[in-house]
Amino acid sequence: MFTLSDTPVAVRRTLHGVAIAVLLISVAIVLAYGNYFLLGDLQKPNNDDVKYVRSAQILLEQGTLAYNSGTDPTLFIMPGIVLILSGFMWLFGHDGGMIAFRLFQCLQQAGSIYLVFFIVRYMFNQRAAIIACIISALYWPDYFSSGEILTETTFKTILLLLICATIAAVERKRWGMYAAVGVLVAAAAYFKPHASLYPGIFLLLWLKRQYTFKQMLQFGAIMAGAYVVLLLPWWIRNMITFDRFVLFTNSAGSPFLLGTRIRGALPPAGFFEAYPEYTPKTVFQGSDSTAIHKGLDIIRYGFTHQPLKYTYWFTLGKMAELYLNPYYWRPVWPIGRDAMKWIQHALVYVSLAGLVWALIRRPIVRQLPVLLTLVYFTAIYLPFVAFSRYGYPNMVLFTLFAAFLIERIYTFVSERLRNRNAANGKQHSLHKGETL
């Protein structure tokens, strides 16, 4: 299922060629641009990327996971990216570790080409799989993501691995594959905790494939067990350090509260009259312990007094924020930011057309792992902050359907031309016979 042993030599060569091209282009861009990709200042950490670098250095020097807390332990972030970055810095030093981390992301981008191929071949066919790989290779935000020191490249890779493991688990019904799913969900949670509910999609997959209730319980327990084992170190660390159980994080600037801001604006003016305990200066300050209550108050007021505006924002508005603006914050030659935005729009619309066509013309059972993953990781952001950085890992899933549409158009045109040539050849033969 996920091997190339039964793949024609020409297809394998094309696939390897695309992956090698992605690797070489990524490496060239990363080495040429260097710290151009940093969003903050290494001397005074003022953005997530440089804060991760500082956290990795503190972890190496003091053995403490710190973030926005000086050198004190923190619950602000999950430790995934800091652990990986600190490992590279331990091996290659501060600057060398940053370069090695970026090169590691280049390898992930190249490896993702193979994962895209396997997924699309399973969903549709081999030709669509190659087209999907070419689209992925030409998607320029991937090269920006390779140079950034953020979680998106690694999370995208884990997401593709997770879909492959999901397909294998559902098809083969083996406990080892379900354990792999649990491991990958835990790995994803070390970067983005909201991935933890991903196994919920298996209920629909199991029902579609008529799993027995006993099988559901067994395989669900295996996934949960693998997940718990891998998250235990984090939970134990929090118990020892903070004397309380913390499932994931406990940070200021709650994503749920911030997600109530429509394009960054404050709540309607009347909100502060209805809730005098809040002020424009303080409403978005504080920790997670009070943020949910504040966010619910804002949502309650918004849906009561501006129902259409808030309904749009928490559905189509946030989906537009996730996908129509490319994750391309530092442009890479030869594509500028404005040009990439137009390309992104075209790609999203073509992908949506391909998705609709696939639902109409292809059996849904093989599309479900990707469709449910896409729906899950879109819906999970609707109550929270939604912007291009969070939508980026999902874009590769959208492009799979663009590849299907292009393949169908290519096949249709090819068949029409072949039939026309055959008809012309037949007419020519008849005409020649009449002449004789």
Side-chain angles (χ1 to χ4, degrees), residues 2 11-12 27 46 51 99 142 158 169 201 258 260 263 274 276 279 293 297 377 397 423:
F2 297 118
V11 174
R12 271 183 279 173
V27 168
N46 52 1
K51 289 179 181 180
I99 295 172
D142 281 353
I158 294 173
I201 75 167
L258 295 176
T260 65
R263 294 187 176 84
T279 69
H293 183 70
D297 287 341
F377 281 107
L397 305 184

Side-chain angles (χ1 to χ4, degrees), residues 341-364:
K341 188 171 183 178
W342 286 108
I343 294 170
Q344 181 89 358
H345 280 225
L347 188 55
V348 169
Y349 295 138
V350 170
S351 299
L352 288 174
L355 193 158
V356 172
W357 191 244
L359 290 175
I360 294 171
R361 303 294 295 180
R362 285 288 182 271
I364 196 172

Side-chain angles (χ1 to χ4, degrees), residues 11-131:
V11 174
R12 271 183 279 173
R13 286 176 177 169
T14 302
L15 179 61
H16 296 326
V18 173
I20 291 170
V22 168
L23 179 62
L24 293 178
I25 294 171
S26 298
V27 168
I29 288 173
V30 160
L31 295 180
Y33 281 81
N35 285 344
Y36 161 81
F37 290 111
L38 289 179
L39 302 172
D41 187 338
L42 286 169
Q43 303 306 315
K44 47 179 180 180
N46 52 1
N47 210 300
D48 284 346
D49 51 358
V50 290
K51 289 179 181 180
Y52 288 143
V53 173
R54 185 173 184 272
S55 295
Q57 192 66 40
I58 294 172
L59 184 61
L60 276 180
E61 295 173 352
Q62 302 183 24
T64 301
L65 177 66
Y67 188 95
N68 283 356
S69 57
T71 57
D72 295 330
T74 187
L75 284 169
F76 197 96
I77 59 169
M78 293 298 288
I81 186 172
V82 176
L83 291 173
I84 295 175
L85 185 57
S86 64
F88 283 118
M89 291 171 70
W90 178 71
L91 288 171
F92 303 107
H94 184 277
D95 293 342
M98 291 171 61
I99 295 172
F101 178 82
R102 289 170 170 141
L103 294 176
F104 172 61
Q105 293 189 139
C106 295
L107 286 172
Q108 290 182 73
Q109 297 285 16
S112 293
I113 295 296
Y114 292 97
L115 301 177
V116 166
F117 177 83
F118 292 137
I119 292 168
V120 180
R121 185 177 65 174
Y122 170 81
M123 291 171 64
F124 303 122
N125 56 53
Q126 205 159 246
R127 182 182 290 157
I130 287 294
I131 293 171

Side-chain angles (χ1 to χ4, degrees), residues 122-176:
Y122 170 81
M123 291 171 64
F124 303 122
N125 56 53
Q126 205 159 246
R127 182 182 290 157
I130 287 294
I131 293 171
C133 293
I134 294 171
I135 292 174
S136 185
L138 295 175
Y139 187 61
W140 225 239
D142 281 353
Y143 299 106
F144 159 73
S145 185
S146 296
E148 253 300 350
I149 300 180
L150 292 171
T151 59
E152 273 55 49
T153 296
T154 300
F155 185 77
K156 185 191 88 167
T157 306
I158 294 173
L159 186 62
L160 291 171
L161 285 169
L162 189 52
I163 292 172
C164 289
T166 297
I167 292 169
V170 171
E171 292 280 353
R172 296 173 181 172
K173 298 184 179 181
R174 294 179 182 174
W175 72 267

Side-chain angles (χ1 to χ4, degrees), residues 412-433:
F412 175 78
V413 172
S414 297
E415 289 177 352
R416 288 292 297 270
L417 289 174
R418 188 161 51 248
N419 292 337
R420 182 180 298 174
N421 291 336
N424 290 338
K426 187 175 180 180
Q427 289 176 0
H428 178 72
S429 298
L430 290 172
H431 178 70
K432 185 177 180 181

